[in-house]
Amino acid sequence: MIRLLILLALPMILGTLACQNSRVEVPPSPYPLSADRFTVDTLAGGFVIPYGAAVIGDDEYLITDRVGKLYHYTNGTLQEIQGMPQVGSFGIDGIPAILHGGLMEVSLHPDYASNKLVYLSYLDPDGLARVVRFTFRNDTATRFDTIFTTRNLSWTGNGMRIVWQDSSHLFLGVGNADFSTADQPLLYAQDFENDAGKIHRLLADGSVPPDNPLIGNSAAPTTIWSYGHRDVQGLVYDTVTHTLLGIEHGPQGGDEFNVIEAGKNYGWPLFSYGINYDGRPVSTISEDSAATFTVLPEHYWTVPTDYGGQAVAPASLLKVEGSKVADWNGNYLFGSLAYRRLMKFNRETGETFGTEIEGRVRTLRQLPGGDILALVERNDLTQANGMLLRIGRQ
């Protein structure tokens, strides 16, 4: 089943490969290109799939590469941090691509300045998704502590994003992008005994917050905060409105922007605005029925095509405030993996724009000074030429 999913998704995952070389072409933007003005500086290269970034300061960051490496960038110097856990990842035999798993998110504890705690999410070679925390010194990791492990195999859970609510609570996404159809639904995201397809809320040490919601028939709170998610690839916690926001992969179309609330069901795979890669429907119920017991997305993306629609495949999510690129302030940025481009989303109007920044943007972070960091994965499947970009305006 996993191999079938990969084969069906492969054309848009890898893009159009030229016959005589391995560089991946950039398709036209599915939405109007913005006229935003900005500068782009390449700070570092040599990555395969740079996935997570944690900002220590304006010129100091931690960066994960899904092949299992963590890097420390300081004032123009990139050093690999030793002592990372082994990770599991896989693709397709004969194609040098990583489609699932690996080392994913890196996040700093909000009190990092005093406790130096770093959090990592990754897929273990045993097929379980884990979160660990550790400290590092002289670019060597020490004091590893596993704080979360899924109860079930999570081979198709790619999100594993971490965002902090406050210094005591963090949210963690675990994806569930299995090939589910209306006639053969795979209901892991609806199963409270399965950790996939969920947003989890943990205390900083991995224990269960006592004010987490009661899910299903549970007599006590668990780590599950919300369920029915396919694959949340970007999380934002708005500290002003105290709202958790997520951007999520649909199948072929139906990518979602969600307001994520405690105890709520977000529908996968019972209802989706997308279809499967082979054209078969996903949904087992109608939109009207879904609206009675699930949360429909605030916004969704399906790019019209002659074969039933295409996903933008969103990666990361950043609400921009205080940037020197004035046209971005108050808007959300995300990467489109399918269209290999940085996108801008106006939540108030529902408008989406492409930008002139091309490539599979995996992660976005805003620096204390206002500039934006973007991690862009390699565009040549035979090379490690992924980049760390800094975007601003002179």
Side-chain angles (χ1 to χ4, degrees), residues 145-286:
D145 180 21
T146 300
I147 68 163
F148 178 84
T149 302
T150 54
R151 293 169 290 175
N152 329 88
L153 300 181
S154 298
W155 289 113
T156 56
N158 268 315
M160 292 291 285
R161 294 295 187 184
I162 295 171
V163 67
W164 290 84
Q165 182 179 20
D166 51 41
S167 61
S168 299
H169 302 83
L170 63 94
F171 294 102
L172 165 73
V174 179
N176 173 226
D178 289 287
F179 186 72
S180 183
T181 64
D183 55 346
Q184 289 187 311
L186 296 180
L187 299 176
Y188 300 132
Q190 298 290 323
D191 182 355
F192 305 135
E193 299 301 316
N194 195 305
D195 290 322
K198 314 294 191 300
I199 301 294
H200 299 266
R201 181 173 179 253
L202 313 171
L203 291 174
D205 64 359
S207 57
V208 178
D211 59 342
N212 270 10
L214 295 176
I215 299 290
N217 296 320
S218 174
T222 69
T223 62
I224 298 174
W225 181 257
S226 60
Y227 61 102
H229 297 286
R230 186 172 184 272
D231 197 6
V232 177
Q233 292 268 337
L235 283 172
V236 167
Y237 185 76
D238 190 320
T239 57
V240 175
T241 62
H242 305 289
T243 303
L244 181 64
L245 304 167
I247 197 167
E248 180 166 348
H249 280 211
Q252 186 169 289
D255 301 312
E256 298 181 357
F257 182 95
N258 284 307
V259 179
I260 300 171
E261 300 179 68
K264 297 296 180 66
N265 182 358
Y266 287 80
W268 178 261
L270 302 176
F271 179 78
S272 172
Y273 287 105
I275 61 175
N276 264 313
Y277 304 106
D278 64 353
R280 283 189 285 171
V282 175
S283 299
T284 61
I285 59 176
S286 68

Side-chain angles (χ1 to χ4, degrees), residues 20 27 40 60 94 115 119 156 168 189 212 220 227-228 235 250 269 272 274 312 324 336 352 364 385:
Q20 299 301 319
V40 180
E60 184 178 8
N115 64 27
Y119 289 68
T156 56
S168 299
N212 270 10
Y227 61 102
L235 283 172
S272 172
V312 295
K324 294 178 183 178
S336 168
T352 302
L364 297 156
N385 66 343

Side-chain angles (χ1 to χ4, degrees), residues 19-186:
C19 294
Q20 299 301 319
N21 69 53
S22 57
R23 290 185 68 86
V24 185
E25 297 176 1
V26 177
S29 173
Y31 299 103
L33 285 174
S34 69
D36 305 338
R37 298 178 60 189
F38 45 77
T39 60
V40 180
D41 294 316
T42 301
L43 301 184
F47 304 104
V48 179
I49 305 178
Y51 193 93
V55 175
I56 299 173
D58 259 314
D59 296 298
E60 184 178 8
Y61 335 118
L62 298 176
I63 300 161
T64 63
D65 194 316
R66 279 175 58 178
V67 298
K69 296 183 178 182
L70 176 67
Y71 294 97
H72 184 200
Y73 176 94
T74 310
N75 296 315
T77 300
L78 193 68
Q79 293 287 338
E80 183 179 350
I81 293 180
Q82 303 299 315
M84 289 300 101
Q86 286 191 323
V87 301
S89 61
F90 68 92
I92 293 178
D93 293 342
I95 297 178
I98 296 172
L99 303 183
H100 291 288
L103 192 61
M104 288 182 267
E105 185 74 289
V106 57
S107 179
L108 304 181
H109 189 282
D111 296 330
Y112 173 81
S114 58
N115 64 27
K116 302 302 181 184
L117 287 173
V118 180
Y119 289 68
L120 278 176
S121 66
Y122 67 98
L123 186 69
D124 193 281
D126 64 9
L128 299 176
R130 303 184 191 277
V131 176
V132 297
R133 64 180 183 179
F134 66 96
T135 60
F136 73 98
R137 184 177 182 183
N138 298 325
D139 292 328
T140 299
T142 60
R143 294 174 50 200
F144 271 92
D145 180 21
T146 300
I147 68 163
F148 178 84
T149 302
T150 54
R151 293 169 290 175
N152 329 88
L153 300 181
S154 298
W155 289 113
T156 56
N158 268 315
M160 292 291 285
R161 294 295 187 184
I162 295 171
V163 67
W164 290 84
Q165 182 179 20
D166 51 41
S167 61
S168 299
H169 302 83
L170 63 94
F171 294 102
L172 165 73
V174 179
N176 173 226
D178 289 287
F179 186 72
S180 183
T181 64
D183 55 346
Q184 289 187 311
L186 296 180

Side-chain angles (χ1 to χ4, degrees), residues 324-345:
K324 294 178 183 178
V325 186
D327 292 323
W328 289 358
N329 290 326
N331 290 285
Y332 292 83
L333 298 178
F334 67 91
S336 168
L337 301 181
Y339 289 92
R340 312 185 71 85
R341 189 176 298 275
L342 179 66
M343 313 298 289
K344 179 177 75 171
F345 172 58

